[in-house]
Amino acid sequence: MCHFNSTHYPSIFVFSFVRKREIKMNINNLDTSLICSNDLESSISCNKIARLRQSIKGLISLFFRLLVFELNPFWIQLAYFVILSFFGYVALKITKPRTSLKPKDLDLFFTSVSSTTVSSMGTVEMEVFSNTQLVIITILMLTGGEVFVSMLGIQLSRFKLTKSSGGYQRIKDENLDEIQDENEDSTPKDRSTEYNSIKCLGYVVFGYLLVVHKLGYILVTMYTTLVPSANRVLKNKAIEIPTFAAFTTVSTFANCGFVPTNENMIVFKKNSGLLLILIPQILLGNTLYPSCLRFSIWLLWKTTKRIEFDYMLRNYEEMGYSSLLSAVHSSLLAVTVFGFMLVQFVLFCALEWNSEIMDGLNPYQKFMASLFEITNSRHTGESVFDLSTITSAILVLFVVMIAYGNVGFSTGYSCKRQLEPESDCIDKWYGFVGRWSAKGKSILILVMFFGRLKKFTLQGGKAWVLS
Protein backbone atom coordinates (compact mmCIF):
# COMPACT_ATOMS: atom_id res chain seq x y z
CA MET A 1 0.00 0.00 0.00
CA CYS A 2 1.34 3.39 -0.97
CA HIS A 3 -0.74 5.50 1.45
CA PHE A 4 -2.20 5.03 4.90
CA ASN A 5 -5.32 7.16 5.32
CA SER A 6 -5.17 8.93 8.68
CA THR A 7 -7.68 11.70 8.12
CA HIS A 8 -10.11 10.15 10.65
CA TYR A 9 -7.54 10.07 13.44
CA PRO A 10 -5.45 13.27 13.23
CA SER A 11 -5.24 13.97 16.94
CA ILE A 12 -4.05 10.44 17.75
CA PHE A 13 -1.20 10.57 15.26
CA VAL A 14 -0.16 14.09 16.22
CA PHE A 15 -0.14 13.05 19.87
CA SER A 16 1.90 9.96 18.99
CA PHE A 17 4.39 12.04 17.04
CA VAL A 18 4.74 14.66 19.79
CA ARG A 19 4.98 11.99 22.46
CA LYS A 20 7.81 10.26 20.61
CA ARG A 21 9.69 13.56 20.33
CA GLU A 22 9.31 14.13 24.10
CA ILE A 23 10.51 10.63 24.96
CA LYS A 24 13.48 10.94 22.58
CA MET A 25 14.45 14.33 24.06
CA ASN A 26 14.17 13.00 27.61
CA ILE A 27 16.40 10.04 26.76
CA ASN A 28 18.98 12.33 25.17
CA ASN A 29 18.89 14.62 28.20
CA LEU A 30 19.23 11.63 30.51
CA ASP A 31 22.25 10.35 28.58
CA THR A 32 23.86 13.79 28.67
CA SER A 33 23.24 14.21 32.41
CA LEU A 34 24.70 10.78 33.15
CA ILE A 35 27.83 11.55 31.12
CA CYS A 36 28.30 15.16 32.21
CA SER A 37 27.34 15.06 35.89
CA ASN A 38 30.66 13.78 37.22
CA ASP A 39 32.43 17.10 37.62
CA LEU A 40 32.53 20.65 36.37
CA GLU A 41 35.38 20.07 33.90
CA SER A 42 33.70 17.14 32.17
CA SER A 43 30.45 19.12 32.10
CA ILE A 44 32.15 21.96 30.23
CA SER A 45 33.70 19.46 27.79
CA CYS A 46 30.33 17.85 27.17
CA ASN A 47 28.76 21.22 26.48
CA LYS A 48 31.47 21.98 23.94
CA ILE A 49 30.91 18.61 22.27
CA ALA A 50 27.18 19.21 22.19
CA ARG A 51 27.65 22.64 20.60
CA LEU A 52 30.11 21.20 18.08
CA ARG A 53 27.63 18.47 17.24
CA GLN A 54 24.87 21.01 16.70
CA SER A 55 27.14 23.13 14.50
CA ILE A 56 28.08 20.14 12.35
CA LYS A 57 24.43 19.12 12.01
CA GLY A 58 23.55 22.68 11.04
CA LEU A 59 26.27 22.82 8.40
CA ILE A 60 25.21 19.47 6.95
CA SER A 61 21.59 20.59 6.85
CA LEU A 62 22.56 23.88 5.21
CA PHE A 63 24.73 22.12 2.62
CA PHE A 64 22.00 19.60 1.78
CA ARG A 65 19.39 22.34 1.50
CA LEU A 66 21.69 24.34 -0.77
CA LEU A 67 22.32 21.23 -2.86
CA VAL A 68 18.64 20.40 -3.24
CA PHE A 69 17.00 23.80 -3.58
CA GLU A 70 19.63 26.21 -4.89
CA LEU A 71 21.99 24.25 -7.15
CA ASN A 72 21.07 23.81 -10.82
CA PRO A 73 20.03 20.20 -11.64
CA PHE A 74 22.68 20.13 -14.37
CA TRP A 75 25.47 20.50 -11.81
CA ILE A 76 23.88 17.95 -9.49
CA GLN A 77 23.75 15.30 -12.19
CA LEU A 78 27.19 16.15 -13.52
CA ALA A 79 28.63 15.79 -10.01
CA TYR A 80 26.75 12.49 -9.59
CA PHE A 81 28.22 10.97 -12.77
CA VAL A 82 31.73 12.29 -12.12
CA ILE A 83 31.81 10.98 -8.54
CA LEU A 84 30.31 7.64 -9.58
CA SER A 85 32.89 7.33 -12.36
CA PHE A 86 35.72 8.11 -9.95
CA PHE A 87 34.64 5.45 -7.45
CA GLY A 88 34.20 3.00 -10.33
CA TYR A 89 37.75 3.71 -11.47
CA VAL A 90 39.11 3.15 -7.96
CA ALA A 91 37.21 -0.16 -7.68
CA LEU A 92 38.53 -1.35 -11.05
CA LYS A 93 42.03 -0.21 -10.12
CA ILE A 94 42.28 -2.18 -6.87
CA THR A 95 40.82 -5.40 -8.31
CA LYS A 96 42.86 -7.78 -10.42
CA PRO A 97 42.08 -8.39 -14.11
CA ARG A 98 41.63 -11.87 -15.54
CA THR A 99 44.78 -11.70 -17.66
CA SER A 100 48.33 -10.77 -16.74
CA LEU A 101 48.03 -7.66 -18.90
CA LYS A 102 46.83 -4.86 -16.62
CA PRO A 103 44.99 -1.98 -18.36
CA LYS A 104 46.38 1.55 -18.07
CA ASP A 105 44.85 3.96 -15.57
CA LEU A 106 43.35 6.15 -18.29
CA ASP A 107 41.73 3.11 -19.91
CA LEU A 108 40.25 2.05 -16.57
CA PHE A 109 38.84 5.53 -16.00
CA PHE A 110 37.56 5.60 -19.58
CA THR A 111 35.81 2.25 -19.00
CA SER A 112 34.29 3.54 -15.76
CA VAL A 113 32.99 6.71 -17.44
CA SER A 114 31.69 4.71 -20.40
CA SER A 115 29.81 2.38 -18.03
CA THR A 116 28.42 5.18 -15.87
CA THR A 117 27.25 7.23 -18.84
CA VAL A 118 26.03 4.02 -20.56
CA SER A 119 28.04 4.85 -23.68
CA SER A 120 29.70 1.41 -24.17
CA MET A 121 32.81 2.81 -25.81
CA GLY A 122 35.64 0.44 -24.98
CA THR A 123 39.39 0.86 -24.98
CA VAL A 124 39.98 -2.55 -23.36
CA GLU A 125 38.80 -5.95 -24.52
CA MET A 126 36.02 -7.12 -22.21
CA GLU A 127 37.54 -10.55 -21.55
CA VAL A 128 40.48 -8.85 -19.86
CA PHE A 129 38.22 -8.01 -16.90
CA SER A 130 37.81 -10.52 -14.09
CA ASN A 131 34.47 -11.67 -12.72
CA THR A 132 34.74 -9.14 -9.87
CA GLN A 133 35.46 -6.31 -12.31
CA LEU A 134 32.49 -7.34 -14.45
CA VAL A 135 30.29 -7.08 -11.36
CA ILE A 136 31.68 -3.57 -10.70
CA ILE A 137 30.89 -2.53 -14.28
CA THR A 138 27.39 -3.99 -13.88
CA ILE A 139 26.80 -1.80 -10.81
CA LEU A 140 28.06 1.27 -12.68
CA MET A 141 25.71 0.61 -15.60
CA LEU A 142 22.77 0.05 -13.28
CA THR A 143 23.30 3.20 -11.21
CA GLY A 144 24.09 5.27 -14.30
CA GLY A 145 21.06 4.12 -16.30
CA GLU A 146 18.33 6.59 -17.19
CA VAL A 147 15.54 4.83 -15.28
CA PHE A 148 17.58 4.46 -12.09
CA VAL A 149 18.74 8.09 -12.16
CA SER A 150 15.18 9.28 -12.79
CA MET A 151 14.04 7.26 -9.77
CA LEU A 152 16.50 9.21 -7.63
CA GLY A 153 15.01 12.39 -9.10
CA ILE A 154 11.56 11.33 -7.92
CA GLN A 155 12.84 10.96 -4.37
CA LEU A 156 14.39 14.41 -4.62
CA SER A 157 11.06 15.86 -5.78
CA ARG A 158 9.35 14.18 -2.85
CA PHE A 159 11.84 15.75 -0.44
CA LYS A 160 11.38 19.18 -2.00
CA LEU A 161 7.62 18.89 -1.58
CA THR A 162 7.90 18.12 2.12
CA LYS A 163 10.62 20.66 2.91
CA SER A 164 9.77 23.63 0.70
CA SER A 165 9.64 26.88 2.66
CA GLY A 166 6.33 28.57 3.43
CA GLY A 167 4.39 25.54 2.39
CA TYR A 168 4.07 22.43 4.43
CA GLN A 169 4.42 21.04 7.88
CA ARG A 170 5.29 17.41 7.86
CA ILE A 171 3.77 15.14 10.51
CA LYS A 172 5.57 11.83 10.37
CA ASP A 173 4.90 8.53 12.07
CA GLU A 174 6.16 5.09 11.08
CA ASN A 175 2.90 4.49 9.23
CA LEU A 176 2.02 8.10 8.44
CA ASP A 177 3.18 10.51 5.76
CA GLU A 178 0.85 13.48 5.62
CA ILE A 179 1.39 17.05 4.50
CA GLN A 180 -0.64 19.96 5.79
CA ASP A 181 -0.78 23.14 3.73
CA GLU A 182 -0.60 26.28 5.81
CA ASN A 183 -0.27 29.13 3.34
CA GLU A 184 -1.75 28.05 0.01
CA ASP A 185 -5.34 27.80 -1.18
CA SER A 186 -5.25 24.05 -1.83
CA THR A 187 -6.59 21.81 0.91
CA PRO A 188 -4.47 19.41 3.00
CA LYS A 189 -6.20 16.51 1.28
CA ASP A 190 -5.08 17.76 -2.16
CA ARG A 191 -1.51 18.18 -0.98
CA SER A 192 -1.58 14.79 0.68
CA THR A 193 -2.75 13.24 -2.60
CA GLU A 194 0.03 14.99 -4.51
CA TYR A 195 2.66 13.83 -2.05
CA ASN A 196 1.41 10.25 -1.98
CA SER A 197 1.18 10.20 -5.77
CA ILE A 198 4.86 11.15 -6.04
CA LYS A 199 5.66 8.52 -3.42
CA CYS A 200 3.69 5.89 -5.34
CA LEU A 201 5.35 6.90 -8.61
CA GLY A 202 8.71 6.13 -7.01
CA TYR A 203 7.42 2.68 -6.06
CA VAL A 204 6.06 2.09 -9.57
CA VAL A 205 9.38 3.01 -11.21
CA PHE A 206 11.28 0.84 -8.74
CA GLY A 207 8.90 -2.06 -9.37
CA TYR A 208 9.24 -1.57 -13.13
CA LEU A 209 13.02 -1.62 -12.80
CA LEU A 210 12.99 -4.68 -10.58
CA VAL A 211 10.53 -6.77 -12.60
CA VAL A 212 12.19 -6.17 -15.97
CA HIS A 213 15.65 -6.94 -14.58
CA LYS A 214 14.50 -10.01 -12.69
CA LEU A 215 12.59 -11.42 -15.66
CA GLY A 216 15.46 -10.65 -18.04
CA TYR A 217 18.00 -12.28 -15.73
CA ILE A 218 15.90 -15.44 -15.40
CA LEU A 219 15.31 -15.77 -19.16
CA VAL A 220 18.95 -15.16 -20.12
CA THR A 221 20.11 -17.61 -17.44
CA MET A 222 17.69 -20.28 -18.64
CA TYR A 223 18.66 -19.79 -22.29
CA THR A 224 22.42 -19.89 -21.75
CA THR A 225 22.04 -22.91 -19.49
CA LEU A 226 19.72 -24.96 -21.71
CA VAL A 227 20.92 -24.08 -25.21
CA PRO A 228 24.18 -25.97 -25.91
CA SER A 229 25.64 -23.50 -28.44
CA ALA A 230 25.27 -20.51 -26.12
CA ASN A 231 26.46 -22.49 -23.11
CA ARG A 232 29.52 -23.66 -25.03
CA VAL A 233 30.54 -20.08 -25.85
CA LEU A 234 30.51 -19.06 -22.19
CA LYS A 235 32.39 -22.17 -21.08
CA ASN A 236 35.10 -21.67 -23.69
CA LYS A 237 35.53 -18.08 -22.54
CA ALA A 238 35.37 -19.01 -18.82
CA ILE A 239 32.50 -16.58 -18.23
CA GLU A 240 30.12 -17.55 -15.42
CA ILE A 241 26.48 -17.82 -16.48
CA PRO A 242 25.08 -15.73 -13.57
CA THR A 243 27.61 -12.97 -14.28
CA PHE A 244 26.83 -13.00 -18.00
CA ALA A 245 23.07 -12.96 -17.37
CA ALA A 246 23.20 -10.09 -14.86
CA PHE A 247 25.74 -8.07 -16.86
CA THR A 248 23.91 -8.44 -20.18
CA THR A 249 20.47 -7.77 -18.71
CA VAL A 250 21.56 -4.61 -16.92
CA SER A 251 23.58 -3.40 -19.90
CA THR A 252 20.72 -4.00 -22.34
CA PHE A 253 18.05 -2.34 -20.18
CA ALA A 254 20.30 0.63 -19.40
CA ASN A 255 21.03 0.83 -23.13
CA CYS A 256 24.76 0.67 -22.49
CA GLY A 257 25.69 -2.00 -25.02
CA PHE A 258 28.56 -3.67 -23.17
CA VAL A 259 28.69 -7.48 -23.34
CA PRO A 260 31.22 -9.63 -21.38
CA THR A 261 32.56 -11.18 -24.62
CA ASN A 262 35.20 -9.53 -26.79
CA GLU A 263 33.05 -9.92 -29.90
CA ASN A 264 30.00 -8.32 -28.29
CA MET A 265 26.92 -10.21 -29.63
CA ILE A 266 28.58 -11.34 -32.87
CA VAL A 267 29.39 -14.66 -31.26
CA PHE A 268 25.64 -15.13 -30.55
CA LYS A 269 24.26 -14.04 -33.94
CA LYS A 270 22.89 -17.54 -34.61
CA ASN A 271 21.21 -17.67 -31.18
CA SER A 272 17.95 -16.04 -32.28
CA GLY A 273 16.23 -16.93 -29.02
CA LEU A 274 18.73 -14.90 -27.01
CA LEU A 275 18.33 -11.96 -29.38
CA LEU A 276 14.55 -12.21 -29.01
CA ILE A 277 14.91 -12.05 -25.22
CA LEU A 278 17.09 -8.92 -25.36
CA ILE A 279 15.10 -6.88 -27.92
CA PRO A 280 12.19 -6.08 -25.54
CA GLN A 281 14.65 -5.07 -22.82
CA ILE A 282 16.26 -2.57 -25.20
CA LEU A 283 12.89 -0.94 -25.85
CA LEU A 284 11.59 -1.14 -22.27
CA GLY A 285 14.69 0.59 -20.94
CA ASN A 286 14.71 3.58 -23.26
CA THR A 287 12.61 4.47 -26.28
CA LEU A 288 9.39 2.79 -25.09
CA TYR A 289 9.91 3.46 -21.38
CA PRO A 290 7.50 6.46 -21.16
CA SER A 291 4.77 4.57 -23.04
CA CYS A 292 5.21 1.41 -20.95
CA LEU A 293 5.32 3.42 -17.72
CA ARG A 294 2.01 5.11 -18.44
CA PHE A 295 0.47 1.78 -19.44
CA SER A 296 1.71 0.24 -16.16
CA ILE A 297 0.16 3.08 -14.13
CA TRP A 298 -3.12 2.77 -16.08
CA LEU A 299 -3.14 -0.99 -15.43
CA LEU A 300 -2.54 -0.44 -11.72
CA TRP A 301 -5.36 2.11 -11.60
CA LYS A 302 -7.76 -0.27 -13.33
CA THR A 303 -6.78 -3.05 -10.94
CA THR A 304 -6.69 -1.18 -7.62
CA LYS A 305 -8.80 1.97 -8.27
CA ARG A 306 -6.41 3.90 -6.05
CA ILE A 307 -6.68 7.68 -6.22
CA GLU A 308 -2.90 8.11 -6.49
CA PHE A 309 -2.74 6.31 -9.84
CA ASP A 310 -5.67 8.32 -11.18
CA TYR A 311 -3.95 11.50 -10.01
CA MET A 312 -0.76 10.53 -11.90
CA LEU A 313 -2.67 9.91 -15.12
CA ARG A 314 -4.62 13.16 -14.92
CA ASN A 315 -1.85 15.41 -13.58
CA TYR A 316 1.19 14.06 -15.41
CA GLU A 317 2.69 17.54 -15.88
CA GLU A 318 2.35 18.46 -12.19
CA MET A 319 4.18 15.26 -11.24
CA GLY A 320 7.39 16.80 -12.59
CA TYR A 321 8.59 13.50 -14.09
CA SER A 322 9.70 13.94 -17.70
CA SER A 323 9.05 10.30 -18.62
CA LEU A 324 5.40 10.51 -17.55
CA LEU A 325 3.57 11.68 -20.66
CA SER A 326 -0.04 12.15 -21.69
CA ALA A 327 -1.96 9.29 -23.26
CA VAL A 328 -1.78 10.87 -26.71
CA HIS A 329 1.92 11.67 -26.43
CA SER A 330 2.70 8.14 -25.19
CA SER A 331 0.78 6.60 -28.09
CA LEU A 332 2.49 8.82 -30.65
CA LEU A 333 5.87 7.98 -29.14
CA ALA A 334 5.21 4.25 -29.53
CA VAL A 335 4.11 4.76 -33.15
CA THR A 336 7.26 6.79 -33.85
CA VAL A 337 9.54 4.16 -32.32
CA PHE A 338 8.05 1.31 -34.34
CA GLY A 339 7.94 3.52 -37.44
CA PHE A 340 11.68 4.22 -37.25
CA MET A 341 12.34 0.53 -36.63
CA LEU A 342 10.28 -0.46 -39.68
CA VAL A 343 12.10 1.99 -41.96
CA GLN A 344 15.50 0.81 -40.74
CA PHE A 345 14.53 -2.85 -40.99
CA VAL A 346 13.32 -2.56 -44.58
CA LEU A 347 16.41 -0.65 -45.71
CA PHE A 348 18.79 -2.92 -43.81
CA CYS A 349 17.29 -6.11 -45.25
CA ALA A 350 17.13 -4.64 -48.76
CA LEU A 351 20.85 -3.84 -48.77
CA GLU A 352 22.32 -6.56 -46.54
CA TRP A 353 20.11 -9.66 -46.90
CA ASN A 354 22.46 -11.41 -49.35
CA SER A 355 25.68 -9.68 -48.28
CA GLU A 356 28.75 -11.25 -46.74
CA ILE A 357 27.70 -10.42 -43.18
CA MET A 358 24.74 -12.80 -43.51
CA ASP A 359 26.85 -15.82 -44.51
CA GLY A 360 25.93 -18.97 -42.59
CA LEU A 361 22.54 -17.71 -41.40
CA ASN A 362 19.18 -19.19 -42.35
CA PRO A 363 16.25 -16.86 -43.21
CA TYR A 364 14.90 -16.82 -39.64
CA GLN A 365 18.35 -16.07 -38.21
CA LYS A 366 18.81 -13.29 -40.78
CA PHE A 367 15.45 -11.82 -39.76
CA MET A 368 16.21 -11.84 -36.03
CA ALA A 369 19.80 -10.61 -36.46
CA SER A 370 18.63 -7.72 -38.66
CA LEU A 371 15.87 -6.80 -36.20
CA PHE A 372 18.34 -6.90 -33.30
CA GLU A 373 20.86 -4.72 -35.15
CA ILE A 374 18.44 -1.96 -36.13
CA THR A 375 16.86 -1.91 -32.65
CA ASN A 376 20.29 -1.27 -31.16
CA SER A 377 21.06 1.60 -33.53
CA ARG A 378 18.87 4.06 -31.59
CA HIS A 379 20.51 3.80 -28.18
CA THR A 380 22.01 0.51 -27.01
CA GLY A 381 24.95 -0.24 -29.31
CA GLU A 382 25.07 -4.03 -29.04
CA SER A 383 25.92 -5.59 -32.39
CA VAL A 384 25.72 -8.98 -34.11
CA PHE A 385 27.61 -7.78 -37.19
CA ASP A 386 31.04 -6.31 -37.82
CA LEU A 387 30.10 -2.69 -38.50
CA SER A 388 33.18 -2.13 -40.64
CA THR A 389 31.76 -4.55 -43.25
CA ILE A 390 28.27 -3.01 -43.41
CA THR A 391 27.22 -0.96 -46.43
CA SER A 392 28.12 2.73 -46.17
CA ALA A 393 24.50 3.76 -46.74
CA ILE A 394 23.41 1.75 -43.68
CA LEU A 395 26.19 3.29 -41.60
CA VAL A 396 24.93 6.75 -42.56
CA LEU A 397 21.41 5.68 -41.53
CA PHE A 398 22.76 4.50 -38.17
CA VAL A 399 24.59 7.79 -37.66
CA VAL A 400 21.33 9.67 -38.26
CA MET A 401 19.57 7.49 -35.70
CA ILE A 402 22.40 8.01 -33.17
CA ALA A 403 24.00 12.13 -33.26
CA TYR A 404 25.59 12.06 -29.71
CA GLY A 405 23.12 9.54 -28.18
CA ASN A 406 25.64 7.53 -26.11
CA VAL A 407 25.17 4.48 -28.34
CA GLY A 408 28.74 3.25 -28.51
CA PHE A 409 28.71 1.70 -31.98
CA SER A 410 32.25 1.36 -33.30
CA THR A 411 33.84 0.02 -36.45
CA GLY A 412 36.53 -1.59 -34.31
CA TYR A 413 40.22 -1.85 -35.14
CA SER A 414 41.35 -4.21 -37.90
CA CYS A 415 44.89 -4.45 -39.27
CA LYS A 416 43.52 -5.39 -42.70
CA ARG A 417 42.01 -1.91 -43.08
CA GLN A 418 45.14 0.07 -42.32
CA LEU A 419 46.01 2.57 -45.03
CA GLU A 420 49.69 2.05 -44.20
CA PRO A 421 50.05 -1.56 -42.93
CA GLU A 422 52.20 -2.10 -39.85
CA SER A 423 54.08 -5.36 -39.49
CA ASP A 424 53.52 -5.55 -35.73
CA CYS A 425 49.80 -4.70 -35.88
CA ILE A 426 47.46 -6.92 -33.85
CA ASP A 427 43.68 -7.08 -34.39
CA LYS A 428 41.71 -5.97 -31.34
CA TRP A 429 38.04 -6.32 -30.40
CA TYR A 430 37.82 -3.05 -28.53
CA GLY A 431 36.50 0.09 -30.21
CA PHE A 432 38.51 2.24 -32.59
CA VAL A 433 39.00 4.70 -29.73
CA GLY A 434 41.27 2.13 -28.10
CA ARG A 435 44.02 3.20 -30.51
CA TRP A 436 43.57 6.91 -29.85
CA SER A 437 46.02 9.07 -27.96
CA ALA A 438 45.54 10.06 -24.32
CA LYS A 439 44.30 13.50 -25.40
CA GLY A 440 41.79 11.98 -27.79
CA LYS A 441 40.44 9.65 -25.09
CA SER A 442 40.19 12.56 -22.66
CA ILE A 443 38.12 14.54 -25.16
CA LEU A 444 35.78 11.59 -25.60
CA ILE A 445 35.40 11.34 -21.82
CA LEU A 446 34.03 14.89 -21.82
CA VAL A 447 31.78 14.06 -24.77
CA MET A 448 30.39 11.04 -22.88
CA PHE A 449 29.61 13.14 -19.80
CA PHE A 450 27.81 15.86 -21.74
CA GLY A 451 26.17 13.32 -24.02
CA ARG A 452 24.72 11.68 -20.92
CA LEU A 453 23.33 15.09 -19.91
CA LYS A 454 21.81 15.75 -23.33
CA LYS A 455 18.32 16.04 -21.83
CA PHE A 456 19.23 19.55 -20.69
CA THR A 457 19.24 20.62 -24.36
CA LEU A 458 15.80 19.24 -25.20
CA GLN A 459 14.19 22.71 -25.04
CA GLY A 460 16.46 24.51 -27.43
CA GLY A 461 19.25 24.99 -24.92
CA LYS A 462 17.15 26.88 -22.35
CA ALA A 463 18.26 24.55 -19.57
CA TRP A 464 21.89 25.34 -20.34
CA VAL A 465 21.40 28.79 -18.82
CA LEU A 466 23.01 27.87 -15.53
CA SER A 467 22.73 31.18 -13.69
Side-chain angles (χ1 to χ4, degrees):
M1 300 294 285
C2 300
H3 170 59
F4 182 81
N5 192 349
S6 62
T7 55
H8 298 294
Y9 311 101
S11 60
I12 296 177
F13 283 107
V14 171
F15 175 77
S16 175
F17 174 75
V18 174
R19 189 60 182 162
K20 285 185 176 181
R21 289 286 301 270
E22 291 178 351
I23 294 174
K24 185 176 180 180
M25 291 176 62
N26 289 335
I27 292 176
N28 290 336
N29 292 335
L30 180 60
D31 291 340
T32 304
S33 63
L34 288 176
I35 296 173
C36 302
S37 61
N38 293 332
D39 51 50
L40 180 60
E41 183 177 353
S42 62
S43 178
I44 295 174
S45 300
C46 286
N47 288 334
K48 290 182 178 179
I49 293 174
R51 287 197 296 270
L52 179 61
R53 183 190 304 172
Q54 289 295 112
S55 300
I56 294 175
K57 289 174 63 177
L59 288 174
I60 294 176
S61 177
L62 179 62
F63 173 77
F64 189 69
R65 184 177 182 83
L66 177 66
L67 182 68
V68 173
F69 291 98
E70 303 297 334
L71 200 60
N72 189 285
F74 172 84
W75 296 114
I76 295 177
Q77 290 206 19
L78 179 60
Y80 173 80
F81 290 120
V82 170
I83 293 172
L84 190 61
S85 299
F86 174 75
F87 280 109
Y89 158 73
V90 173
L92 292 174
K93 175 71 175 176
I94 63 178
T95 51
K96 294 182 179 180
R98 179 184 302 181
T99 63
S100 57
L101 180 63
K102 193 171 183 179
K104 299 178 181 178
D105 287 350
L106 179 59
D107 290 328
L108 288 178
F109 185 66
F110 191 99
T111 301
S112 179
V113 173
S114 186
S115 303
T116 302
T117 60
V118 292
S119 302
S120 73
M121 299 184 69
T123 59
V124 180
E125 291 182 320
M126 293 305 297
E127 292 177 28
V128 169
F129 296 113
S130 64
N131 185 73
T132 302
Q133 290 177 319
L134 290 177
V135 172
I136 294 170
I137 295 174
T138 302
I139 295 173
L140 292 175
M141 293 187 295
L142 175 65
T143 53
E146 183 65 36
V147 178
F148 184 90
V149 173
S150 70
M151 184 175 66
L152 298 181
I154 293 174
Q155 301 305 318
L156 190 61
S157 299
R158 177 183 167 192
F159 177 82
K160 285 183 177 180
L161 184 62
T162 59
K163 297 295 185 182
S164 57
S165 59
Y168 313 105
Q169 175 185 359
R170 187 178 184 183
I171 303 174
K172 182 176 180 181
D173 188 72
E174 292 181 357
N175 297 316
L176 173 64
D177 282 303
E178 182 179 10
I179 301 172
Q180 293 183 336
D181 189 345
E182 295 178 348
N183 298 327
E184 299 188 12
D185 295 334
S186 55
T187 63
K189 183 178 180 180
D190 294 335
R191 289 302 180 183
S192 178
T193 301
E194 180 183 0
Y195 173 80
N196 286 304
S197 297
I198 294 178
K199 182 179 178 181
C200 272
L201 180 60
Y203 292 147
V204 171
V205 174
F206 176 75
Y208 183 96
L209 193 73
L210 184 64
V211 169
V212 176
H213 278 87
K214 186 67 175 179
L215 185 61
Y217 174 81
I218 292 173
L219 292 176
V220 173
T221 300
M222 290 177 60
Y223 186 91
T224 51
T225 301
L226 300 177
V227 177
S229 58
N231 186 273
R232 192 180 308 115
V233 170
L234 297 182
K235 282 187 176 180
N236 292 338
K237 293 178 176 293
I239 300 175
E240 298 179 9
I241 290 179
T243 302
F244 176 83
F247 188 102
T248 306
T249 299
V250 170
S251 176
T252 303
F253 181 83
N255 281 202
C256 181
F258 274 148
V259 178
T261 61
N262 285 342
E263 308 90 340
N264 203 274
M265 292 298 294
I266 295 176
V267 71
F268 296 108
K269 67 180 179 179
K270 292 186 178 181
N271 296 105
S272 301
L274 180 59
L275 303 184
L276 186 61
I277 291 172
L278 296 180
I279 288 174
Q281 296 180 50
I282 297 171
L283 299 174
L284 291 173
N286 199 295
T287 49
L288 284 183
Y289 171 61
S291 302
C292 294
L293 176 65
R294 184 174 180 88
F295 177 76
S296 301
I297 295 173
W298 176 83
L299 193 63
L300 289 169
W301 176 67
K302 284 291 185 180
T303 304
T304 65
K305 298 297 182 182
R306 293 190 59 82
I307 188 174
E308 291 86 357
F309 299 126
D310 182 57
Y311 184 90
M312 294 181 210
L313 296 174
R314 294 178 181 273
N315 302 276
Y316 51 90
E317 291 183 345
E318 286 78 2
M319 295 297 294
Y321 187 57
S322 60
S323 295
L324 185 58
L325 307 176
S326 66
V328 175
H329 196 168
S330 298
S331 301
L332 292 176
L333 176 62
V335 171
T336 303
V337 169
F338 289 117
F340 278 136
M341 289 178 61
L342 179 61
V343 171
Q344 288 188 90
F345 181 77
V346 171
L347 292 176
F348 189 90
C349 290
L351 295 176
E352 302 290 353
W353 190 263
N354 295 316
S355 66
E356 181 182 349
I357 64 173
M358 296 288 189
D359 289 347
L361 301 180
N362 60 40
Y364 175 67
Q365 290 172 337
K366 289 182 180 181
F367 177 88
M368 288 305 306
S370 300
L371 182 61
F372 183 82
E373 192 72 18
I374 62 99
T375 305
N376 277 275
S377 67
R378 291 296 304 281
H379 286 282
T380 310
E382 295 173 1
S383 182
V384 290
F385 300 119
D386 182 356
L387 292 180
S388 64
T389 62
I390 290 179
T391 306
S392 298
I394 296 298
L395 291 180
V396 172
L397 177 64
F398 284 173
V399 170
V400 172
M401 292 297 172
I402 296 172
Y404 53 53
N406 293 63
V407 175
F409 267 157
S410 175
T411 55
Y413 188 85
S414 175
C415 299
K416 297 178 182 178
R417 298 178 180 84
Q418 284 186 329
L419 296 178
E420 298 180 1
E422 300 174 358
S423 58
D424 58 345
C425 178
I426 301 176
D427 288 330
K428 293 292 184 180
W429 282 107
Y430 50 61
F432 182 56
V433 65
R435 300 287 295 200
W436 286 25
S437 65
K439 291 182 179 179
K441 292 176 183 177
S442 301
I443 292 173
L444 278 184
I445 287 175
L446 296 177
V447 172
M448 286 189 287
F449 276 128
F450 287 97
R452 182 62 180 83
L453 298 168
K454 58 185 176 290
K455 69 178 183 179
F456 289 97
T457 65
L458 292 178
Q459 297 180 349
K462 293 180 180 178
W464 286 96
V465 180
L466 305 179
S467 59

